Amino acid sequence: MSDIRLGRRTFLSVVGLGAVGLLAGGRLSGAAAPLGRLVPDGVGNLVSAGGWRIYAISPPWPSFDPASWRLEVTGEVEQPVKLTYDELLALPTQRQTSDFHCVTGWTVGDVRWEGVRLAELWDRVQPKPTARYANFVSMEHPYVDTLTMEQTTLGGVMLGHRMDGKPLSRAHGAPVRLVIPEMYGYKNVKWLTRIELTRELRPGYWELNGYDVDAWVGRSNGY
Ligand SMILES: Nc1nc2c(c(=O)[nH]1)N[C@H]1C(S)=C(S)[C@@H](COP(=O)(O)O)O[C@H]1N2
Ligand SMILES: [Mo]
C-alpha cells in the first residue's frame, strides 16, 4: 500500500465521530470500528488495502529521515551500536512469508517480509549474561514492547525492513518494525529506533493496559 498521511485533524475527526466511513484520496476505504474501548483496536484505526488496519497511538505517524535515523542497540551489551539505515540494510537479510494476527481478531495472511534476524545484532553487540529482556522502542512515543532474549530468536522473528517486495511504508512502520508472527500484532513495534537489553521486565504499552506480556497467538488473553 502507499504511504498515507494521517494528519492530526483527520485523527481527531475520526475519534470525534466514533464509527465512520473514511475515504481519503481514494486510497483508504472501509470504516473505523466503534471506538472507545481501550484496546489495540482503539486509536488510529484505518482499514487499508489487503486487510491491514493502520494503527498508531499518537498521530501524526513518525517520519523517517535516512540521514538522521539510527537504530541504537544498547543496555546490557558489551558493544553498543548505532546503525544507520544503510548499515541495517547491509546486514544479512532473510525472507519469510507469515500470517499476521491482531489481538482484536483481524488477520492478514501470507505477508512477505524481508529483514534481519536478531541473532545478527546479538553477534555484533554481544549481550552480557545479565541481559534477560529486549525492549523495542518506537519513534512513536510512548509505544514500546518487550521480548525475552529467548523469544527474540524464535523462527519467525526479524527486524522487517521490506514488506511484500517494497521498502516498509510509513504507515506500516518505516524504516523497520519488529516482526513476530508467533505473537499478536501489538508486539510488532513499528517505527523502531532503539533496542535496549535489560535485566528486568518492562511491560509494553498494551501490557500496561491489561494484555498479556506473552502474546502467543491463540493462547494469550486476546481475541
Ligand atoms: N508504534 C506502534 N507500533 C504498533 C502499534 C502502534 O499503535 N504503534 N500498534 C500495534 C498493533 S496493536 C498492531 S495489530 C499492529 C498493526 O500493524 P499495522 O499498523 O501495520 O497494520 O501494529 C502494532 N505496532
Ligand atoms: Mo493489534
Side-chain angles (χ1 to χ4, degrees):
M1 66 165 286
S2 331
D3 287 295
I4 302 152
R5 180 182 292 258
L6 175 61
R8 181 145 190 91
R9 182 176 298 267
T10 313
F11 170 71
L12 289 174
S13 69
V14 169
V15 169
L17 290 169
V20 293
L22 184 65
L23 194 67
R27 285 157 146 184
L28 290 176
S29 62
L35 301 175
R37 281 191 306 156
L38 190 59
V39 296
D41 204 25
V43 265
N45 179 8
L46 302 175
V47 179
S48 78
W52 291 97
R53 294 175 194 202
I54 304 303
Y55 285 164
I57 55 161
S58 22
W61 301 331
S63 50
F64 161 51
D65 173 6
S68 60
W69 179 85
R70 295 291 182 274
L71 180 63
E72 186 180 4
V73 188
T74 180
E76 300 289 312
V77 298
E78 302 290 354
Q79 301 285 342
V81 293
K82 276 189 185 179
L83 299 175
T84 65
Y85 184 54
D86 285 345
E87 287 169 337
L88 176 72
L89 297 186
L91 293 174
T93 296
Q94 305 295 325
R95 291 162 195 257
Q96 71 186 41
T97 302
S98 50
D99 296 343
F100 186 94
H101 303 279
C102 174
V103 72
T104 60
W106 57 269
T107 288
V108 181
D110 292 337
V111 187
R112 288 181 295 123
W113 296 106
E114 293 163 65
V116 175
R117 299 283 178 213
L118 273 300
E120 295 288 347
L121 279 190
W122 303 158
D123 281 351
R124 298 209 29 184
V125 301
Q126 297 295 316
K128 294 181 182 173
T130 48
R132 293 186 55 211
Y133 300 92
N135 298 277
F136 298 86
V137 183
S138 178
M139 287 191 272
E140 187 195 32
H141 186 76
Y143 205 99
V144 61
D145 215 315
T146 183
L147 295 177
T148 66
M149 288 303 288
E150 291 74 27
Q151 291 164 355
T152 66
T153 51
L154 289 173
V157 179
M158 60 162 54
L159 301 180
H161 55 69
R162 293 176 65 83
M163 193 181 111
D164 292 335
K166 285 171 287 186
L168 193 65
S169 68
R170 185 179 179 194
H172 286 299
V176 65
R177 74 187 290 168
L178 182 63
V179 175
I180 174 165
E182 290 89 344
M183 292 194 182
Y184 283 117
Y186 62 90
K187 305 299 282 194
N188 295 241
V189 178
K190 304 198 292 183
W191 303 297
L192 262 186
T193 189
R194 190 156 58 84
I195 302 174
E196 186 177 351
L197 274 49
T198 57
R199 299 166 181 245
E200 80 291 353
L201 173 67
R202 297 183 192 166
Y205 179 82
W206 285 113
E207 291 137 34
L208 294 172
N209 289 289
Y211 282 85
D212 280 348
V213 172
D214 288 328
W216 303 113
V217 170
R219 283 189 275 150
S220 59
N221 70 351
Y223 186 73

